[in-house]
Amino acid sequence: MPQPILVRNQKYFAPNVILPPKIDLLEHYPSPENVHDPLKRPIRDLRISLIDRCNFRCRYCMPKEVFTPAYNYLASDKILSFNQIIRLCKIFIGLGVQKIRLTGGEPLLRKGIEELIDQLAKLSTQSGKALDITLTTNGSLLAKMAKSLKSAGLTRVTVSLDALDNTSFQSITDSHYPVERILEGIHQAQAEGLGPIKINMVVKRGTNEDQIIPMANYFRQRGMILRFIEFMDVGNSNGWNISQVVPSREILATLQTHWVLKPLDAHYVGETAKRWGYVNAEGNLDPLAGEVGFISSITEAFCDDCNRIRLSPDGVLYLCLFASTGYDISEWLQPNPTIGDDLISKYIAHIWQQRLDQYSKTRINALKQHPIEFFQKPKIEMSSIGG
Ligand code: SF4
């Protein structure tokens, strides 16, 4: 298993972080045009983690035994300012980004987030279209913030919710938070027009399979989109084991004992979820019943058209959710006349053009052939780069 380093007497798994090259080297890099990685994947989706802290301790992401008060959280002076984030977003739009997802930890814990969204909403894509600004939250603060997020310019919201049953919910999140408050937040967001609301449910064998039908029924009746996520070996701390994974095909079979479903086309290339719609008694798609989705990183990897790049709160770029290497550009975001946006853009394009990441695809084979070695490398924690 990955070798921890000791910080403040707390074990901590550190991915390898690469610092940028000397400027004079960069000056010779070609100006980025039509940037693609060697697998012909463009950069379309930038995921920005605004904070590495959260008010929940979900077992599959930030288990409390590891993420204790003594954990090596980022110091506030290490966290990028909104101006630095906006500067980077403009550079990424120049490289092809069309969608920005705000994540964490829990992004709504970041003070003044509406201010950032307001600035982002003023940006548009290379083709002049409105930027798609979305956010993934645990929903705990959504009821009171939905209105201000919408008026700031947020387009849509995704809420992580893994159970309707309060006891299960509180055991999964290791919190005393009533699930009703999360549902209240979801309905408030819907009422404020932050839809179509997506709900992400991580299904873990032995933990919440019994919640699959109640969750599907609840959100079907409200025309919302429920996505089932296979339990993933993100980070180094959630004790992942393949036996705890409930394959998407098994979840679909469970749903089909109650409803007729049919596959739907993807909205765009690189969409992570496989979409399925509910069929009514007449055999037609029921537009009022919302839909379900399957995010099957373990059994049906979707790396072939992965166009996502991730930014940690302290300015390190990661090319994959399961990355063991990051590219620290924080230094370049400090006020420095010699580091212009063009140089940063060249460097990011250069990194992307070397990108061969296909962790989920390789995992499938690794699990068959040589699992131990494959899981050796310390990976970045999901709470530092968002899902
Ligand atoms: S495993 Fe990495 S490369 Fe594959 S889809 Fe996920 S983020 Fe993309």
Coordinates of all heavy atoms in Angstrom, one line a residue, residues 85-175:
I85 N -8.1 32.6 -9.3 CA -9.0 31.6 -10.0 C -9.6 32.1 -11.3 O -9.5 31.5 -12.3 CB -10.1 31.1 -9.0 CG1 -9.5 30.3 -7.8 CG2 -11.1 30.2 -9.7 CD1 -10.5 30.0 -6.7
I86 N -10.0 33.4 -11.2 CA -10.6 34.0 -12.4 C -9.6 34.1 -13.5 O -9.8 33.8 -14.7 CB -11.2 35.3 -12.1 CG1 -12.5 35.2 -11.2 CG2 -11.6 36.1 -13.4 CD1 -13.6 34.4 -11.9
R87 N -8.4 34.5 -13.2 CA -7.3 34.6 -14.1 C -7.1 33.2 -14.8 O -7.0 33.1 -16.0 CB -6.0 35.1 -13.5 CG -4.8 35.2 -14.4 CD -3.6 35.6 -13.7 NE -2.5 35.6 -14.7 CZ -1.2 35.7 -14.3 NH1 -0.8 35.7 -13.0 NH2 -0.2 35.7 -15.3
L88 N -7.0 32.2 -14.0 CA -6.8 30.9 -14.5 C -7.9 30.4 -15.4 O -7.7 29.8 -16.5 CB -6.6 29.8 -13.4 CG -5.2 29.4 -13.0 CD1 -5.3 28.3 -12.0 CD2 -4.5 28.8 -14.3
C89 N -9.2 30.7 -15.0 CA -10.3 30.3 -15.8 C -10.3 31.0 -17.2 O -10.6 30.3 -18.2 CB -11.6 30.7 -15.1 SG -11.9 29.7 -13.6
K90 N -9.8 32.2 -17.3 CA -9.7 32.9 -18.6 C -8.7 32.2 -19.4 O -8.9 31.9 -20.6 CB -9.3 34.4 -18.4 CG -10.4 35.2 -17.8 CD -10.0 36.6 -17.5 CE -11.1 37.5 -16.9 NZ -10.5 38.8 -16.3
I91 N -7.6 31.8 -18.8 CA -6.6 31.0 -19.6 C -7.1 29.7 -20.1 O -6.9 29.3 -21.2 CB -5.3 30.8 -18.7 CG1 -4.6 32.1 -18.4 CG2 -4.3 29.8 -19.3 CD1 -3.5 32.1 -17.3
F92 N -7.9 29.0 -19.2 CA -8.4 27.7 -19.6 C -9.5 27.8 -20.7 O -9.6 27.0 -21.6 CB -9.0 27.0 -18.4 CG -8.0 26.1 -17.6 CD1 -7.5 26.5 -16.4 CD2 -7.6 25.0 -18.2 CE1 -6.6 25.7 -15.7 CE2 -6.7 24.2 -17.5 CZ -6.2 24.5 -16.3
I93 N -10.3 28.9 -20.6 CA -11.2 29.2 -21.7 C -10.5 29.3 -23.0 O -10.9 28.7 -24.1 CB -12.1 30.4 -21.4 CG1 -13.0 30.1 -20.2 CG2 -12.9 30.8 -22.6 CD1 -13.7 31.3 -19.6
G94 N -9.4 30.0 -23.0 CA -8.5 30.1 -24.2 C -8.0 28.7 -24.7 O -7.7 28.6 -25.9
L95 N -8.0 27.8 -23.8 CA -7.5 26.4 -24.2 C -8.7 25.5 -24.5 O -8.4 24.3 -24.8 CB -6.7 25.8 -23.1 CG -5.3 26.5 -22.8 CD1 -4.8 26.1 -21.4 CD2 -4.3 26.3 -23.9
G96 N -9.9 26.0 -24.5 CA -11.0 25.2 -24.9 C -12.1 24.8 -23.9 O -13.1 24.2 -24.1
V97 N -11.9 25.3 -22.6 CA -12.8 24.9 -21.5 C -14.2 25.6 -21.8 O -14.2 26.8 -22.2 CB -12.3 25.3 -20.2 CG1 -13.4 25.5 -19.1 CG2 -11.3 24.3 -19.7
Q98 N -15.3 24.8 -21.6 CA -16.6 25.3 -21.8 C -17.5 25.2 -20.5 O -18.5 25.7 -20.4 CB -17.3 24.6 -22.9 CG -16.6 24.7 -24.3 CD -17.1 23.8 -25.3 OE1 -18.1 23.1 -25.1 NE2 -16.4 23.8 -26.5
K99 N -17.0 24.4 -19.6 CA -17.7 24.1 -18.4 C -16.8 24.2 -17.2 O -15.7 23.7 -17.2 CB -18.3 22.7 -18.5 CG -19.1 22.2 -17.3 CD -19.6 20.8 -17.6 CE -20.0 20.1 -16.3 NZ -20.4 18.7 -16.6
I100 N -17.3 24.8 -16.1 CA -16.6 24.9 -14.9 C -17.4 24.3 -13.7 O -18.6 24.7 -13.6 CB -16.2 26.4 -14.6 CG1 -15.1 26.8 -15.6 CG2 -15.7 26.5 -13.1 CD1 -14.5 28.1 -15.4
R101 N -16.9 23.4 -13.0 CA -17.6 22.8 -11.9 C -16.8 23.2 -10.6 O -15.6 22.9 -10.5 CB -17.7 21.2 -12.0 CG -18.4 20.6 -10.8 CD -18.5 19.1 -11.0 NE -19.4 18.8 -12.1 CZ -20.8 18.8 -12.0 NH1 -21.3 19.2 -10.8 NH2 -21.5 18.6 -13.0
L102 N -17.6 23.8 -9.7 CA -17.0 24.2 -8.4 C -17.2 23.1 -7.4 O -18.3 22.5 -7.3 CB -17.6 25.5 -7.9 CG -17.5 26.7 -8.9 CD1 -18.2 27.9 -8.3 CD2 -16.0 27.0 -9.1
T103 N -16.1 22.6 -6.8 CA -16.2 21.5 -5.9 C -15.4 21.8 -4.6 O -15.0 22.9 -4.4 CB -15.6 20.2 -6.5 OG1 -14.2 20.5 -6.7 CG2 -16.2 20.0 -7.9
G104 N -15.1 20.7 -3.8 CA -14.3 20.9 -2.6 C -13.6 19.6 -2.3 O -13.2 18.9 -3.3
G105 N -13.6 19.2 -1.1 CA -14.3 19.5 0.1 C -15.8 19.9 -0.2 O -16.4 19.5 -1.1
E106 N -16.3 20.8 0.7 CA -17.6 21.3 0.5 C -17.5 22.7 0.1 O -17.2 23.7 0.9 CB -18.4 21.2 1.8 CG -19.8 21.9 1.8 CD -20.6 21.6 0.6 OE1 -20.7 20.5 0.1 OE2 -21.2 22.6 0.0
P107 N -17.8 23.0 -1.2 CA -17.5 24.4 -1.8 C -18.3 25.5 -1.1 O -17.8 26.6 -1.0 CB -17.9 24.2 -3.2 CG -18.8 23.0 -3.3 CD -18.3 22.1 -2.2
L108 N -19.5 25.2 -0.6 CA -20.3 26.2 0.0 C -19.8 26.7 1.4 O -20.2 27.7 1.9 CB -21.8 25.8 0.2 CG -22.5 25.5 -1.1 CD1 -24.0 25.1 -0.9 CD2 -22.4 26.6 -2.1
L109 N -18.7 26.0 1.8 CA -18.0 26.5 3.0 C -17.0 27.6 2.7 O -16.5 28.3 3.6 CB -17.2 25.4 3.7 CG -18.0 24.3 4.4 CD1 -17.1 23.1 4.9 CD2 -18.8 24.8 5.6
R110 N -16.8 27.8 1.4 CA -15.8 28.9 1.0 C -16.5 30.2 1.1 O -17.5 30.5 0.3 CB -15.3 28.6 -0.4 CG -14.3 29.6 -1.0 CD -12.9 29.5 -0.4 NE -12.1 30.6 -0.8 CZ -11.1 30.5 -1.8 NH1 -10.9 29.4 -2.4 NH2 -10.4 31.6 -2.1
K111 N -16.1 31.1 1.9 CA -16.7 32.4 2.1 C -16.8 33.2 0.9 O -15.8 33.2 0.1 CB -16.0 33.2 3.2 CG -16.3 32.6 4.6 CD -16.0 33.6 5.7 CE -16.3 32.9 7.1 NZ -15.9 31.5 7.2
G112 N -17.9 33.9 0.6 CA -18.0 34.8 -0.5 C -18.1 34.1 -1.9 O -17.8 34.7 -2.9
I113 N -18.4 32.8 -1.9 CA -18.5 32.0 -3.2 C -19.3 32.7 -4.2 O -19.1 32.6 -5.4 CB -18.9 30.5 -2.9 CG1 -18.8 29.7 -4.2 CG2 -20.3 30.5 -2.4 CD1 -19.1 28.2 -4.0
E114 N -20.4 33.4 -3.8 CA -21.3 34.1 -4.7 C -20.5 35.1 -5.5 O -20.7 35.3 -6.7 CB -22.4 34.8 -4.0 CG -23.4 33.8 -3.4 CD -23.1 33.5 -1.9 OE1 -21.9 33.7 -1.5 OE2 -24.0 33.0 -1.2
E115 N -19.5 35.7 -4.9 CA -18.7 36.7 -5.6 C -17.9 36.1 -6.7 O -17.9 36.6 -7.8 CB -17.7 37.2 -4.5 CG -17.1 38.6 -4.6 CD -15.9 38.7 -3.6 OE1 -16.2 38.5 -2.4 OE2 -14.8 38.8 -4.1
L116 N -17.3 34.9 -6.4 CA -16.6 34.2 -7.5 C -17.5 33.8 -8.6 O -17.2 34.0 -9.8 CB -16.0 32.9 -6.9 CG -15.3 32.0 -7.9 CD1 -14.1 32.6 -8.6 CD2 -14.9 30.7 -7.3
I117 N -18.7 33.3 -8.3 CA -19.7 32.9 -9.3 C -20.1 34.1 -10.2 O -20.2 34.0 -11.4 CB -20.9 32.2 -8.7 CG1 -20.5 30.9 -8.0 CG2 -22.0 32.0 -9.7 CD1 -21.5 30.2 -7.2
D118 N -20.3 35.2 -9.5 CA -20.6 36.5 -10.2 C -19.6 36.8 -11.3 O -19.9 37.1 -12.4 CB -20.8 37.6 -9.2 CG -21.1 38.9 -9.9 OD1 -22.1 39.0 -10.5 OD2 -20.2 39.8 -9.8
Q119 N -18.3 36.7 -10.9 CA -17.2 37.0 -11.8 C -17.2 35.9 -12.9 O -17.0 36.3 -14.1 CB -15.9 37.0 -11.1 CG -15.7 38.2 -10.1 CD -14.3 38.3 -9.5 OE1 -13.3 38.3 -10.3 NE2 -14.2 38.2 -8.2
L120 N -17.4 34.7 -12.6 CA -17.3 33.6 -13.6 C -18.5 33.8 -14.6 O -18.3 33.6 -15.8 CB -17.5 32.2 -12.9 CG -16.3 31.6 -12.2 CD1 -16.7 30.4 -11.4 CD2 -15.2 31.3 -13.2
A121 N -19.6 34.3 -14.1 CA -20.8 34.4 -15.0 C -20.6 35.5 -16.0 O -21.3 35.5 -17.0 CB -22.0 34.7 -14.1
K122 N -19.6 36.3 -15.8 CA -19.3 37.4 -16.8 C -18.4 36.8 -18.0 O -18.2 37.5 -19.0 CB -18.6 38.6 -16.1 CG -19.5 39.3 -15.1 CD -18.8 40.5 -14.6 CE -19.7 41.3 -13.7 NZ -19.9 40.7 -12.3
L123 N -17.9 35.6 -17.8 CA -17.0 35.0 -18.8 C -17.8 34.3 -19.8 O -18.9 33.8 -19.5 CB -16.0 34.1 -18.2 CG -15.1 34.7 -17.0 CD1 -14.2 33.6 -16.4 CD2 -14.3 35.9 -17.5
S124 N -17.3 34.1 -21.1 CA -18.0 33.3 -22.0 C -16.9 32.4 -22.8 O -15.7 32.7 -22.7 CB -18.7 34.1 -23.1 OG -17.9 35.2 -23.5
T125 N -17.4 31.4 -23.4 CA -16.5 30.4 -24.1 C -15.9 31.0 -25.3 O -16.2 32.1 -25.7 CB -17.3 29.2 -24.5 OG1 -18.2 29.6 -25.6 CG2 -18.1 28.6 -23.4
Q126 N -14.9 30.3 -25.9 CA -14.2 30.8 -27.1 C -15.2 31.2 -28.2 O -15.1 32.2 -28.9 CB -13.3 29.7 -27.7 CG -12.0 29.6 -27.0 CD -11.1 28.5 -27.6 OE1 -11.6 27.6 -28.2 NE2 -9.8 28.7 -27.4
S127 N -16.3 30.4 -28.3 CA -17.3 30.7 -29.3 C -18.4 31.7 -28.9 O -19.4 31.9 -29.5 CB -18.0 29.4 -29.7 OG -18.7 28.9 -28.5
G128 N -18.1 32.3 -27.7 CA -19.0 33.4 -27.2 C -20.2 32.9 -26.5 O -21.1 33.7 -26.1
K129 N -20.3 31.6 -26.2 CA -21.5 31.1 -25.5 C -21.3 31.3 -24.0 O -20.2 31.5 -23.5 CB -21.6 29.6 -25.7 CG -22.3 29.2 -27.0 CD -22.9 27.8 -26.9 CE -22.9 27.1 -28.2 NZ -21.9 25.9 -28.2
A130 N -22.4 31.3 -23.2 CA -22.3 31.4 -21.8 C -21.6 30.2 -21.2 O -21.7 29.1 -21.7 CB -23.7 31.5 -21.2
L131 N -20.7 30.5 -20.3 CA -20.0 29.4 -19.6 C -21.0 28.6 -18.8 O -21.9 29.1 -18.2 CB -19.0 30.0 -18.7 CG -17.7 29.3 -18.3 CD1 -16.9 28.9 -19.6 CD2 -16.8 30.2 -17.4
D132 N -20.8 27.2 -18.8 CA -21.7 26.4 -18.0 C -21.1 26.3 -16.6 O -20.0 25.7 -16.5 CB -21.8 25.0 -18.7 CG -22.7 24.0 -17.9 OD1 -23.4 24.5 -17.0 OD2 -22.6 22.8 -18.2
I133 N -21.7 27.0 -15.6 CA -21.1 27.0 -14.3 C -22.0 26.2 -13.4 O -23.1 26.5 -13.1 CB -21.1 28.5 -13.8 CG1 -20.4 29.4 -14.8 CG2 -20.4 28.5 -12.4 CD1 -20.7 30.9 -14.5
T134 N -21.4 25.1 -12.9 CA -22.1 24.2 -12.0 C -21.4 23.9 -10.7 O -20.2 24.3 -10.6 CB -22.5 22.9 -12.8 OG1 -23.2 22.1 -11.9 CG2 -21.2 22.2 -13.3
L135 N -22.0 23.3 -9.8 CA -21.4 23.1 -8.5 C -21.8 21.8 -7.9 O -23.0 21.4 -8.1 CB -21.9 24.3 -7.6 CG -21.5 24.3 -6.1 CD1 -21.1 25.7 -5.7 CD2 -22.7 23.8 -5.3
T136 N -20.9 21.1 -7.2 CA -21.3 19.8 -6.5 C -21.2 20.1 -5.0 O -20.2 20.6 -4.5 CB -20.3 18.7 -6.9 OG1 -20.4 18.5 -8.3 CG2 -20.7 17.4 -6.2
T137 N -22.3 19.8 -4.3 CA -22.4 20.1 -2.9 C -23.0 19.0 -2.1 O -23.7 18.2 -2.7 CB -23.2 21.4 -2.6 OG1 -23.4 21.6 -1.2 CG2 -24.6 21.3 -3.3
N138 N -22.7 18.9 -0.8 CA -23.4 17.9 0.0 C -24.8 18.4 0.5 O -25.5 17.7 1.2 CB -22.5 17.5 1.2 CG -22.3 18.7 2.2 OD1 -23.1 19.6 2.3 ND2 -21.2 18.6 3.0
G139 N -25.1 19.6 0.0 CA -26.5 20.1 0.2 C -26.8 20.7 1.6 O -27.8 21.2 1.9
S140 N -25.8 20.6 2.5 CA -26.1 21.0 3.9 C -26.4 22.5 4.0 O -27.1 22.9 4.9 CB -24.9 20.6 4.8 OG -23.7 21.2 4.3
L141 N -25.9 23.3 3.1 CA -26.0 24.8 3.2 C -26.9 25.3 2.1 O -27.1 26.5 1.9 CB -24.7 25.4 3.2 CG -23.7 25.0 4.3 CD1 -22.3 25.5 4.0 CD2 -24.2 25.6 5.7
L142 N -27.4 24.3 1.3 CA -28.1 24.7 0.0 C -29.4 25.5 0.3 O -29.7 26.4 -0.4 CB -28.3 23.5 -0.9 CG -28.7 23.7 -2.3 CD1 -27.7 24.6 -3.0 CD2 -28.8 22.3 -3.0
A143 N -30.2 25.0 1.3 CA -31.5 25.6 1.5 C -31.3 27.2 1.7 O -32.1 28.0 1.1 CB -32.1 25.0 2.7
K144 N -30.3 27.6 2.4 CA -30.2 29.0 2.7 C -29.4 29.7 1.6 O -29.5 31.0 1.5 CB -29.6 29.3 4.1 CG -28.2 29.0 4.3 CD -27.8 29.5 5.7 CE -26.3 29.4 5.8 NZ -25.7 29.2 7.1
M145 N -28.7 29.0 0.8 CA -27.8 29.7 -0.2 C -28.3 29.6 -1.6 O -27.8 30.3 -2.5 CB -26.4 29.2 -0.1 CG -25.7 29.5 1.2 SD -24.0 28.8 1.2 CE -23.1 30.0 0.1
A146 N -29.4 28.8 -1.9 CA -29.8 28.6 -3.3 C -30.1 29.9 -4.0 O -29.7 30.1 -5.1 CB -31.0 27.7 -3.3
K147 N -30.8 30.8 -3.3 CA -31.2 32.0 -4.0 C -30.0 32.9 -4.4 O -29.9 33.3 -5.5 CB -32.1 32.8 -3.0 CG -32.9 34.0 -3.6 CD -33.8 34.6 -2.5 CE -34.8 35.6 -3.1 NZ -35.6 35.0 -4.1
S148 N -29.1 33.1 -3.4 CA -27.9 33.9 -3.7 C -27.0 33.3 -4.8 O -26.4 34.0 -5.6 CB -27.2 34.2 -2.4 OG -26.7 33.0 -1.9
L149 N -27.0 32.0 -4.8 CA -26.1 31.3 -5.8 C -26.7 31.5 -7.2 O -26.0 31.8 -8.2 CB -26.0 29.8 -5.5 CG -25.3 29.4 -4.2 CD1 -25.5 27.9 -3.9 CD2 -23.8 29.7 -4.4
K150 N -28.0 31.4 -7.3 CA -28.7 31.6 -8.6 C -28.6 33.0 -9.0 O -28.2 33.2 -10.2 CB -30.2 31.2 -8.4 CG -31.0 31.4 -9.7 CD -30.6 30.5 -10.8 CE -31.4 30.8 -12.1 NZ -31.0 30.0 -13.2
S151 N -28.8 33.9 -8.1 CA -28.7 35.3 -8.6 C -27.2 35.7 -8.9 O -27.0 36.6 -9.7 CB -29.3 36.3 -7.6 OG -29.1 35.9 -6.3
A152 N -26.3 35.0 -8.4 CA -24.9 35.3 -8.7 C -24.5 34.8 -10.1 O -23.6 35.2 -10.7 CB -24.0 34.6 -7.6
G153 N -25.3 33.8 -10.6 CA -25.1 33.3 -11.9 C -24.8 31.8 -12.1 O -24.5 31.3 -13.1
L154 N -25.0 31.1 -10.9 CA -24.8 29.6 -11.0 C -25.9 29.0 -12.0 O -27.0 29.5 -12.0 CB -24.9 29.0 -9.6 CG -24.6 27.5 -9.5 CD1 -23.1 27.3 -9.8 CD2 -25.0 26.9 -8.2
T155 N -25.4 28.1 -12.8 CA -26.3 27.5 -13.8 C -27.1 26.3 -13.2 O -28.3 26.2 -13.3 CB -25.6 27.0 -15.0 OG1 -24.4 27.8 -15.3 CG2 -26.4 26.9 -16.3
R156 N -26.3 25.4 -12.7 CA -27.0 24.1 -12.2 C -26.3 23.7 -10.9 O -25.2 24.2 -10.6 CB -26.8 23.0 -13.2 CG -27.5 23.3 -14.5 CD -27.2 22.2 -15.5 NE -25.9 22.2 -16.0 CZ -25.0 21.2 -15.9 NH1 -25.3 20.2 -15.2 NH2 -23.8 21.3 -16.3
V157 N -26.9 22.7 -10.2 CA -26.3 22.2 -9.0 C -26.4 20.7 -8.9 O -27.4 20.1 -9.4 CB -26.9 22.9 -7.7 CG1 -28.3 22.4 -7.5 CG2 -26.1 22.7 -6.5
T158 N -25.4 20.0 -8.4 CA -25.5 18.6 -8.2 C -25.3 18.3 -6.7 O -24.4 19.0 -6.1 CB -24.3 17.9 -9.0 OG1 -24.5 18.1 -10.4 CG2 -24.3 16.4 -8.7
V159 N -26.2 17.5 -6.1 CA -26.1 17.3 -4.7 C -25.7 15.8 -4.4 O -26.3 14.9 -5.0 CB -27.5 17.6 -4.1 CG1 -27.5 17.3 -2.6 CG2 -27.9 19.0 -4.4
S160 N -24.8 15.6 -3.6 CA -24.4 14.2 -3.2 C -25.3 13.8 -2.0 O -25.4 14.5 -1.0 CB -22.9 14.2 -2.7 OG -22.1 14.8 -3.7
L161 N -26.0 12.7 -2.3 CA -26.9 12.2 -1.2 C -27.0 10.7 -1.4 O -27.3 10.2 -2.5 CB -28.3 12.8 -1.4 CG -29.4 12.3 -0.4 CD1 -29.0 12.7 1.0 CD2 -30.8 12.8 -0.8
D162 N -26.6 9.9 -0.4 CA -26.5 8.5 -0.5 C -27.6 7.6 0.1 O -27.6 6.4 0.1 CB -25.1 8.0 0.0 CG -24.0 8.9 -0.6 OD1 -23.9 9.0 -1.8 OD2 -23.2 9.5 0.2
A163 N -28.5 8.3 0.8 CA -29.6 7.5 1.5 C -30.7 8.5 1.8 O -30.5 9.7 2.1 CB -29.1 6.9 2.7
L164 N -32.0 8.0 1.9 CA -33.1 8.8 2.4 C -33.3 8.5 3.8 O -33.8 9.3 4.6 CB -34.4 8.4 1.6 CG -34.6 9.0 0.2 CD1 -36.0 8.6 -0.3 CD2 -34.6 10.5 0.3
D165 N -33.0 7.2 4.2 CA -33.1 6.8 5.6 C -32.2 7.6 6.5 O -30.9 7.6 6.2 CB -32.9 5.3 5.7 CG -32.8 4.9 7.2 OD1 -33.8 4.8 7.8 OD2 -31.6 4.7 7.6
N166 N -32.7 8.3 7.5 CA -31.8 9.2 8.3 C -30.6 8.5 9.0 O -29.5 8.9 8.9 CB -32.7 9.8 9.4 CG -32.2 11.3 9.6 OD1 -31.7 11.9 8.7 ND2 -32.4 11.7 10.8
T167 N -30.9 7.3 9.5 CA -29.8 6.5 10.2 C -28.7 6.2 9.2 O -27.5 6.4 9.4 CB -30.4 5.2 10.8 OG1 -31.6 5.6 11.5 CG2 -29.4 4.6 11.7
S168 N -29.1 5.7 8.0 CA -28.1 5.4 7.0 C -27.3 6.6 6.6 O -26.1 6.6 6.5 CB -28.7 4.8 5.7 OG -29.5 3.7 6.0
F169 N -28.1 7.7 6.3 CA -27.5 8.9 5.9 C -26.4 9.4 6.9 O -25.3 9.7 6.5 CB -28.5 10.0 5.7 CG -28.0 11.4 5.4 CD1 -27.4 11.7 4.2 CD2 -28.0 12.3 6.4 CE1 -26.9 12.9 3.9 CE2 -27.5 13.6 6.2 CZ -26.9 13.9 5.0
Q170 N -26.8 9.4 8.2 CA -25.9 9.9 9.2 C -24.7 9.0 9.4 O -23.6 9.4 9.7 CB -26.7 10.2 10.5 CG -27.7 11.3 10.3 CD -28.5 11.6 11.6 OE1 -28.5 10.9 12.5 NE2 -29.1 12.8 11.5
S171 N -24.9 7.7 9.2 CA -23.8 6.8 9.3 C -22.8 6.9 8.2 O -21.6 7.0 8.3 CB -24.3 5.3 9.5 OG -23.7 4.5 8.6
I172 N -23.3 7.1 6.9 CA -22.5 7.3 5.8 C -21.7 8.6 5.9 O -20.5 8.7 5.6 CB -23.3 7.3 4.5 CG1 -23.9 5.9 4.3 CG2 -22.4 7.6 3.3 CD1 -25.0 5.8 3.2
T173 N -22.4 9.7 6.3 CA -21.7 11.0 6.4 C -21.0 11.2 7.7 O -20.4 12.2 7.9 CB -22.8 12.1 6.2 OG1 -23.8 11.9 7.2 CG2 -23.4 12.1 4.8
D174 N -21.2 10.2 8.6 CA -20.6 10.4 10.0 C -20.9 11.8 10.5 O -20.1 12.5 11.0 CB -19.0 10.2 9.9 CG -18.6 9.0 10.7 OD1 -19.3 8.8 11.7 OD2 -17.6 8.4 10.4
S175 N -22.2 12.1 10.4 CA -22.7 13.4 10.9 C -24.0 13.2 11.7 O -24.6 12.1 11.6 CB -22.9 14.3 9.7 OG -24.2 13.9 9.1

